[in-house]
Amino acid sequence: MIIDFLYFQLLIVILVVMLFASMFRILREYERGVIFLLGRFYKIKGPGFIILIPFVQQMVRVDLRIITMDVPSQDLISRDNVTVRVNAVLYFRVLDPQKAIINIENFLEATSQLAQTTMRSVLGQHELDEILSARDTLNADLQRILDQSTDNWGIKVTAVEIKHVDLDESMIRAIARQAEAERSRRAKVIHATGELEASKQLLEAARMLGQQPEAIQLRYLQTLTEITNDNSKIIVFPLPMDLGKLLQPIIEPAAAPKDPQSPSEIT
């Protein structure tokens, strides 16, 4: 009997120690405790040392730090009927612990599912070129929509960043051909623009040289100095531009054929 009584007392002591131990909680600086009194919301406590009434009050811890959540890859069809695979990263934090615990069963799972469906619906309204080039605008739209949707859960979405956009191999080759054609078009336009500017400059130079005939001869002599070097055995003689006119009276009579029926030969 005495041994049984001692065991009973020891059991009572252990239960009392455990009861007192469950009364005291310590919350870190980034934690808050949502307190329920007999199942009803009582208040939010923390951080620091708090005391709970056993069997009467219950506490749920809530982390207030920014949570980084990886949004799984989603298959979607863009507005121009191109199948792409997109994943993103989501940054959010709990602003109101009461709403995060009472208004939603599991705010982490709910936020993840909402981010996946929102990303599919928003990106599906844009073409592939916009998804690849206008990521800043798409990130801002996703952040705004998610922030409005999670406001009733006491959650603030701080940022959404699209990480990867995976395309089919055939689509990658098509984009490469499009980029190559675009570069070829730009090269042709640049070449044509250069030819137009050069022709304008040549026309202006011809007008200026035409005003001073001596300038043409000087330009001609300068060209000869540029094409002649010390090791060359070719001697270049400058000829006047009107040499053909000077030799024309001599060349034309010699080149004219003789008429056999002329009166001088008959006599």
Side-chain angles (χ1 to χ4, degrees):
M1 291 292 296
I2 296 176
I3 296 176
D4 294 338
F5 181 72
L6 292 176
Y7 278 124
F8 179 74
Q9 286 183 336
L10 181 60
L11 182 60
I12 295 297
V13 171
I14 294 175
L15 291 177
V16 171
V17 171
M18 293 177 61
L19 184 63
F20 275 96
S22 63
M23 293 176 58
F24 307 110
R25 303 290 176 84
I26 297 177
L27 297 178
R28 297 181 178 88
E29 181 66 30
Y30 54 84
E31 291 180 330
R32 298 294 183 271
V34 181
I35 308 301
F36 293 91
L37 179 62
L38 296 177
R40 298 177 63 88
F41 174 74
Y42 175 59
K43 65 168 58 176
I44 297 176
K45 292 185 178 181
F49 179 78
I50 63 174
I51 300 176
L52 299 176
I53 302 175
F55 306 110
V56 177
Q57 293 180 337
Q58 295 84 32
M59 183 188 71
V60 180
R61 292 176 181 262
V62 179
D63 196 328
L64 301 184
R65 292 177 294 182
I66 294 179
I67 300 173
T68 303
M69 177 178 292
D70 184 53
V71 181
S73 298
Q74 302 296 311
D75 293 326
L76 57 94
I77 300 177
S78 62
R79 193 172 64 179
D80 50 351
N81 297 325
V82 178
T83 302
V84 295
R85 192 174 182 86
V86 184
N87 67 337
V89 59
L90 177 66
Y91 300 91
F92 67 96
R93 63 188 298 262
V94 177
L95 289 183
D96 192 339
Q98 178 183 353
K99 291 182 179 180
I101 297 301
I102 296 177
N103 293 356
I104 190 73
E105 179 183 0
N106 188 339
F107 66 88
L108 293 175
E109 181 65 23
T111 304
S112 176
Q113 295 296 327
L114 180 63
Q116 297 177 37
T117 56
T118 303
M119 187 170 63
R120 286 197 299 268
S121 61
V122 171
L123 298 184
Q125 300 175 4
H126 297 270
E127 296 182 357
L128 178 62
D129 292 340
E130 298 176 350
I131 297 176
L132 295 176
S133 60
R135 290 195 181 186
D136 293 339
T137 303
L138 297 177
N139 292 336
D141 292 340
L142 290 172
Q143 188 269 336
R144 176 179 52 81
I145 295 174
L146 288 174
D147 190 35
Q148 293 176 354
S149 301
T150 58
D151 184 65
N152 192 40
W153 302 345
I155 293 175
K156 171 65 177 178
V157 178
T158 57
V160 180
E161 296 291 338
I162 298 175
K163 293 197 299 184
H164 300 293
V165 179
D166 297 329
L167 300 175
D168 187 71
E169 189 67 26
S170 60
M171 182 55 60
I172 295 176
R173 290 195 296 268
I175 293 176
R177 289 195 299 269
Q178 179 184 0
E180 183 178 358
E182 179 65 20
R183 290 194 208 92
S184 178
R185 183 189 69 84
R186 292 180 181 178
K188 292 180 180 178
V189 171
I190 294 173
H191 180 71
T193 303
E195 291 291 336
L196 177 60
E197 293 179 357
S199 63
K200 291 181 180 179
Q201 296 295 330
L202 289 174
L203 179 60
E204 185 66 21
R207 289 176 180 175
M208 296 182 64
L209 292 174
Q211 296 176 1
Q212 297 292 334
E214 295 82 2
I216 299 178
Q217 187 67 17
L218 293 175
R219 187 70 181 93
Y220 177 65
L221 294 175
Q222 182 182 358
T223 304
L224 292 179
T225 59
E226 293 176 356
I227 64 176
T228 306
N229 52 49
D230 297 336
N231 299 326
S232 177
K233 298 181 179 179
I234 301 175
I235 301 175
V236 180
F237 294 96
L239 296 176
M241 301 297 293
D242 54 352
L243 181 62
K245 295 181 180 180
L246 297 176
L247 299 178
Q248 185 176 4
I250 303 174
I251 297 176
E252 288 184 354
K258 295 182 179 181
D259 188 1
Q261 302 297 329
S262 60
S264 61
E265 292 181 359
I266 296 174
T267 57

